[in-house]
Amino acid sequence: MQQEACLRPPSPVTLPVSGQAAPFYVRRVYCVGRNYAEHAREMGFDPEREPPFFFCKPADAVWAVLPGTTGSMPYPGQTSNLHYEIELVVAIGTGGSNIPISEARTHVFGYAVGLDMTRRDLQIGMREKGRPWEVGKAFDHSAPLGPIHPAASVPHIETRGIRLAVNGAARQTSDLGKLIWSIDEVISNLSTYFALQPGDLIFTGTPEGVGPVVAGDLMVGAIDGLGEIQVRVV
Ligand code: MN
């Protein structure tokens, strides 16, 4: 006899895939910290090439912003210093553990433009006390993403430009060639800690120029070949 669940299962988190009808089902969201030298410096760190470090967001912090539309992000509670971080997001299509660097790219399904929205005051407060970062990083609506572009449609992703403007003024301008840890190295290193699975997303880090936004501000982020993401803080 089939048993009733005591609660309805939560809806799956999905992202649209450019050029395909079927969506991408999100499993986990991993994020790399301080992966551009100038951003490490602006956060008060020496950008030595230490091993990459990771934190997570819950899958349901992800929400899709379709091209040509403006997403609305509610200003979150418990902060007075909400920051944008524009990032390349890698979508994993084939899982694995201890993936060699030379094989990492074969595990990639595609790429997207994402925002790692951050309650900077809470993140730094927790960091200074040696406490976990969740309240600063893993809050609701903290991961707006554009559609996933299949890897084959964006060759040479590792040399593309990445940028973000707030209310039309440039705030972050860099290129993916400045990642301290490359896409392949991030996948390989992360897979030594966690068995990667299809549906995993990896935020690869933000370049310099992070800063605050307030209600009413319009963020427009872009990566060459992956289009734009537009999000207004409300
Ligand atoms: Mn980040």
Side-chain angles (χ1 to χ4, degrees):
M1 198 174 127
Q2 197 172 353
Q3 261 190 322
E4 294 274 331
C6 63
L7 295 173
R8 266 189 214 154
S11 305
V13 177
T14 63
L15 289 168
V17 178
S18 180
Q20 295 184 18
F24 182 91
Y25 284 78
V26 178
R27 192 188 80 117
R28 291 187 184 171
V29 182
Y30 298 103
C31 306
V32 187
R34 292 177 222 136
N35 203 18
Y36 290 80
E38 288 306 319
H39 174 62
R41 285 191 194 100
E42 76 181 350
M43 296 301 290
F45 292 88
D46 182 3
E48 271 181 65
R49 207 164 182 268
E50 292 176 353
F53 70 91
F54 302 98
F55 60 92
C56 292
K57 291 179 187 261
D60 66 1
V62 170
W63 54 290
V65 181
L66 296 176
T69 71
T70 302
S72 293
M73 172 164 181
Y75 196 94
Q78 295 284 9
T79 185
S80 53
N81 199 17
L82 176 67
H83 275 209
Y84 52 79
E85 295 190 356
I86 187 72
E87 307 200 6
L88 170 71
V89 179
V90 176
I92 296 294
T94 311
S97 295
N98 302 309
I99 297 168
I101 292 171
S102 61
E103 291 173 19
R105 208 62 73 91
T106 66
H107 293 261
V108 174
F109 175 84
Y111 305 98
V113 183
L115 286 163
D116 168 15
M117 296 303 296
T118 301
R119 293 193 283 210
R120 191 72 72 201
D121 41 2
L122 297 186
Q123 181 207 8
I124 290 174
M126 294 298 111
R127 193 179 80 196
E128 284 172 351
K129 292 181 178 138
R131 291 178 182 171
W133 282 11
E134 271 86 349
V135 295
K137 287 288 195 180
F139 54 97
D140 294 342
H141 308 288
S142 62
L145 262 86
I148 295 177
H149 295 255
S153 68
V154 269
H156 309 296
I157 184 77
E158 57 282 336
T159 57
R160 304 227 178 196
I162 179 170
R163 68 193 74 83
L164 180 128
V166 178
N167 302 329
R171 293 283 185 256
Q172 295 188 277
T173 306
S174 190
D175 80 75
L176 299 174
K178 292 186 176 171
L179 284 170
I180 296 173
W181 293 95
S182 70
I183 295 165
D184 297 344
E185 289 169 333
V186 164
I187 291 169
S188 176
N189 189 280
L190 180 61
S191 77
T192 67
Y193 292 100
F194 302 97
L196 297 182
Q197 296 287 346
D200 290 344
L201 298 176
I202 308 171
F203 280 69
T204 55
T206 197
E208 68 275 16
V210 299
V213 281
V214 296
D217 284 347
L218 177 65
M219 302 175 282
V220 180
I223 293 174
D224 294 333
L226 301 180
E228 280 188 357
I229 183 171
Q230 288 202 44
V231 177
R232 190 179 297 281
V233 182
V234 298

